Amino acid sequence: MDYETIRVETDGPLVLLTIHRPDKLNALNSTVRRELMEAVDALARDDGVKVAILSGAGEKAFVAGADVSEFAARTPAEQRALYNHRRVYDAIADFPKPILCAVHGYCLGGGSELALACDLRVADRTARFSQAEIRLGLIPGAGGTQRLARLVGPGQAMRMALTGDMVDAEEAYRMGLVEVLVDEGRHLEKAREIAGRMARWSPVALRLAKRSIKAAMETPLSAGLQLEKELFLAAFASDDGQEGVQAFVEKRDPEFKGR
Ligand code: COA
């Protein structure tokens, strides 16, 4: 499929999704958001794809935020109408397969929220994060108070959202906003390596594990443990679960079929 503002490259079971508006620091305009949603929906249906990586084109930025020029042209009623539709952040968060974010350079506002919607963040040392909305008289509106607070705790989320200050890669790593930190320019290579290590396993188990961990963000512990038990039993009953256990007993590599 041809897109105007994103690139989709498959590499065996991995797919690299690149936001491609480098002259605008990959700012999220409505075309990027629509195309990203179309792409993740298509990838969700594609059995050949096991793990996705999201990145941004160019030397300077992953994504420098929502496209502020579009904000400027919108009435409050138009903005509300947009918020009533499915949003790219939720499309990414609900993507049933693992999705890693590879961050280089600016990761601001909606860009940071896009990274937060992914399952884990790999950043190089140039990465800089901020919830900059407060500078515009706004607040984060796509997870930059909610997903951020759950990931790094309410205090650090307060600091970021209320100051709008940039946090460098080292600090983001220390506070848990970035899970893997690498030297400049190594973010994609590292993300591919981690994605490749996931892609060896059963797609059924990957999907169930992801679903269970995501539920931990939303449920009390007792309900989460109950769900985990059910999802474990679903994995156990799957052909891949049977194959994995049998292969271990027979001292051979498993052959996962995705069912
Ligand atoms: N929305 C729309 N356009 C953006 C953008 C955004 N969020 N961020 C950058 N751009 C555009 C700039 O307008 C510029 O376009 P132009 O060449 O047509 O003028 C281009 O991207 C390059 O950005 P520029 O500002 O020249 O780069 P810089 O290196 O001097 O500064 C930033 C980089 C990130 C500090 C600066 O671009 C910035 O502050 N961007 C806005 C960040 C923001 O507030 N994001 C959160 C929105 S909620």
Side-chain angles (χ1 to χ4, degrees):
M1 205 154 169
D2 272 351
Y3 296 105
E4 187 191 326
T5 60
I6 64 171
R7 303 280 184 273
V8 183
E9 297 160 65
T10 46
D11 174 11
L14 309 186
V15 62
L16 176 63
L17 271 169
T18 307
I19 301 170
H20 206 279
R21 279 188 91 203
D23 53 324
K24 298 289 181 190
L25 307 187
N26 303 319
L28 300 173
N29 65 7
S30 39
T31 310
V32 177
R33 289 198 299 269
R34 178 178 47 75
E35 292 190 336
L36 264 181
M37 279 196 276
E38 286 171 14
V40 296
D41 286 349
L43 296 171
R45 290 189 300 266
D46 184 342
D47 288 341
V49 169
K50 290 175 88 176
V51 185
I53 299 167
L54 178 64
S55 189
E59 292 303 309
K60 286 176 77 173
F62 166 62
V63 169
D67 191 311
V68 180
S69 58
E70 284 192 348
F71 271 160
R74 247 178 241 147
T75 65
E78 286 167 342
Q79 188 66 34
R80 177 174 289 279
L82 277 177
Y83 271 33
N84 286 335
H85 286 100
R86 181 171 177 244
R87 301 175 72 201
V88 65
Y89 311 93
D90 298 326
I92 293 211
D94 294 342
F95 185 58
K97 307 172 189 188
I99 178 162
L100 289 70
C101 189
V103 182
H104 168 91
Y106 293 117
C107 183
L108 313 178
S112 179
E113 290 171 311
L114 212 50
L116 287 164
C118 293
D119 298 326
L120 67 99
R121 289 137 292 276
V122 178
D124 80 0
R125 288 184 195 279
T126 69
R128 286 202 275 173
F129 295 80
S130 102
Q131 292 304 151
E133 294 85 350
I134 200 97
R135 292 166 176 258
L136 306 175
L138 302 173
I139 71 164
T145 65
Q146 299 303 304
R147 291 195 181 101
L148 182 63
R150 283 166 173 76
L151 191 63
V152 303
Q156 295 289 17
M158 290 281 185
R159 181 164 73 98
M160 287 186 71
L162 274 52
T163 65
D165 287 347
M166 290 213 198
V167 164
D168 68 21
E170 286 282 349
E171 196 175 356
Y173 178 65
R174 275 200 303 276
M175 71 165 79
L177 176 50
V178 160
E179 285 79 11
V180 182
L181 178 63
V182 291
D183 287 340
E184 181 170 354
R186 311 296 292 270
H187 55 300
L188 277 175
E189 175 191 331
K190 189 66 180 180
R192 277 201 186 91
E193 181 197 318
I194 297 170
R197 296 181 65 73
M198 294 175 177
R200 297 175 293 169
W201 310 128
S202 158
V204 178
L206 290 171
R207 189 177 69 242
L208 294 172
K210 170 169 174 168
R211 192 175 142 201
S212 195
I213 293 167
K214 285 191 92 77
M217 298 292 113
E218 304 203 7
T219 49
L221 182 61
S222 54
L225 288 170
Q226 184 60 33
L227 176 69
E228 184 185 71
K229 203 164 62 179
E230 290 304 325
L231 297 180
F232 172 86
L233 291 172
F236 192 82
S238 70
D239 288 355
D240 281 355
Q242 299 291 308
E243 163 65 9
V245 172
Q246 201 56 39
F248 180 84
V249 172
E250 292 170 10
K251 299 189 189 305
R252 61 173 173 82
D253 288 336
E255 275 184 52
F256 294 123
K257 299 270 194 311
R259 51 176 195 264

